[in-house]
Amino acid sequence: MRDKVVTRVLPVFLLIAAIIVCVAVAAVHNINRSVTGSDWVNHTHSVILEAEALKSDVYLADGALHTFVLTGNPRDESACASALADADEDLEITKALTRNEPAQAQQVADIGGMVGARSAFLNGIMSSRSTGGPDAVRKALSDDAGGAALHRIKGAIERLKNSELELLTERDKASYLQAQTMRYTVWIGVVLDVLLLAASGWLIQDDINARRRLAGALQDANEKLEAKVKERTAELEASNARLTAENLERLWTNQALEHQLRYNNLIVESVSDLVFVLTKALNISRLNPAVTEETGFSATELVGQPLSRVVRAASRTSEDALAEALGASRQLRDCPGLLEDKRGGTRPAYASIVPLRDRDKVVGAVVTVRVDRQAPGPQK
């Protein structure tokens, strides 16, 4: 059988584990989003830096061109060409960084068109300076109208930077809100876990207290049971002592009865008169050896037979007198009758009857038959 405290505390620990897992999943998700947000922040700063570098390269190329126009120094021409090449490289990088942002990608494409037009203009100025001389350069510079193209490029780059800064602000705000949400999630998880741990501790303490109470009650019950067992044992010992004494007394009584019965049997068997033990129906249940000697009947031949099988009343009145004496539970002495032997001969005899009582109830009788020795011998 499962322990009760386990069934009560296990769901609490499972809930604690579930909360920890949820907090861990939320933390991992937040970390992944933070990493993604950090990547986007770095990406935004990269776009802004590349846009600034593009603007600087365009201005640097324009300045190098003006210097080359004034001095005609090939190093200035080379510096202008290098700045244009850097501008092209920065433009390609910016395009690559904004290819997943449609609005910014369109702005970069517009800036690329303006930068390309400006690069073509600067390359044309440098070609005019090399082939056409100062007059051709002055004419080309006069067509520039005071560098309006540079202002347009600068304005477009500033708008791109502002767009990226707006995205950066939104991402910073989202990161802050996400961090706040994660902070609240962690604190809520910690508070719930602490409360659940406290609840599990209370359940365990309650179970311990219940076990202590149960152990105390069990100890009290055992002490009471032990006292009752001792009391009952003392009673049983006293009863056994009494039974032992009673058994000894009964044994002595039985032995005395056995001796008395044996003496009685010896007395009955030694009597010369014929002794019959009868049932209430006047059937023979026992006889002494004198009966066998006098009649020739064995005990097996007479037991269960009526008394009239060997002793007959001298008259109908005598036979009724025997039955009436047994029914009335009174003694009858020297009732005349005839004793019949196994050969069929009869001899005068006198029968006496003594009723046998079991408490107040007659259960049989003892009949003694005295043969008249002075009368003539057996008659056929």
Side-chain angles (χ1 to χ4, degrees), residues 16-75:
I16 292 173
I19 292 174
I20 292 174
V21 170
C22 292
V23 171
V25 171
V28 171
H29 181 67
N30 183 70
I31 291 171
N32 292 332
R33 292 184 63 181
S34 297
V35 171
T36 303
S38 178
D39 292 339
W40 276 111
V41 169
N42 294 332
H43 173 269
T44 302
H45 284 294
S46 298
V47 172
I48 293 173
L49 291 175
E50 291 298 329
E52 284 290 339
L54 175 61
K55 184 177 69 172
S56 298
D57 290 336
V58 172
Y59 274 91
L60 182 60
D62 191 84
L65 174 66
H66 285 80
T67 303
F68 173 67
V69 169
L70 295 175
T71 62
N73 193 336
R75 286 183 298 179

Side-chain angles (χ1 to χ4, degrees), residues 78-308:
S78 176
C80 181
S82 177
L84 291 175
D86 291 339
D88 291 337
E89 183 179 356
D90 292 335
L91 180 61
E92 294 299 324
I93 294 174
T94 305
K95 288 180 179 180
L97 291 173
T98 58
R99 63 176 176 267
N100 294 324
E101 299 173 351
Q104 286 77 7
Q106 183 61 44
Q107 290 178 345
V108 171
D110 295 339
I111 293 172
M114 289 184 286
V115 171
R118 189 63 181 175
S119 296
F121 174 75
L122 295 179
N123 287 323
I125 294 295
M126 287 188 293
S127 298
S128 300
R129 177 68 177 82
S130 299
T131 58
D135 295 334
V137 172
R138 291 191 191 96
K139 184 178 184 305
L141 289 175
S142 63
D143 294 337
D144 189 22
L150 289 177
H151 291 291
R152 288 195 299 271
I153 293 173
K154 179 181 177 181
I157 291 175
E158 290 298 327
R159 287 192 296 274
L160 176 62
K161 287 170 57 180
N162 291 333
S163 299
E164 291 295 325
L165 289 174
E166 290 176 0
L167 290 176
L168 183 61
T169 301
E170 292 177 0
R171 288 163 185 165
D172 286 341
K173 183 178 179 180
S175 298
Y176 174 77
L177 294 176
Q178 185 177 355
Q180 287 293 101
T181 302
M182 185 59 202
R183 188 177 297 110
Y184 293 149
T185 302
V186 171
W187 276 110
I188 290 173
V190 170
V191 171
L192 288 177
D193 285 342
V194 170
L195 292 177
L196 290 173
L197 285 174
S200 63
W202 180 84
L203 290 175
I204 293 173
Q205 185 63 37
D206 180 67
D207 185 79
I208 292 173
N209 294 334
R211 288 174 183 266
R212 288 175 179 172
R213 291 192 297 270
L214 181 61
L218 183 61
Q219 184 177 0
D220 293 340
N222 288 335
E223 291 176 355
K224 293 180 181 178
L225 180 61
E226 186 176 357
K228 289 183 179 179
V229 169
K230 289 181 179 179
E231 181 181 356
R232 185 58 178 167
T233 302
E235 293 177 356
L236 290 175
E237 289 176 353
S239 298
N240 288 333
R242 289 195 302 270
L243 289 175
T244 301
E246 291 176 0
N247 288 334
L248 289 175
E249 292 178 359
R250 189 177 293 108
L251 178 61
W252 295 335
T253 302
N254 290 335
Q255 289 178 352
L257 290 175
E258 288 178 1
H259 288 300
Q260 186 65 37
L261 289 175
R262 186 163 58 250
Y263 293 151
N264 292 339
N265 288 334
L266 290 175
I267 292 171
V268 171
E269 290 177 358
S270 63
V271 171
S272 59
D273 291 341
L274 284 66
V275 180
F276 297 91
V277 179
L278 305 181
T279 64
K280 193 173 182 180
L282 297 179
N283 292 327
I284 300 171
S285 63
R286 187 178 176 184
L287 49 85
N288 68 341
V291 176
T292 302
E293 293 177 0
E294 191 69 31
T295 64
F297 288 107
S298 63
T300 56
E301 291 175 325
L302 292 180
V303 171
Q305 298 295 322
L307 179 63
S308 60

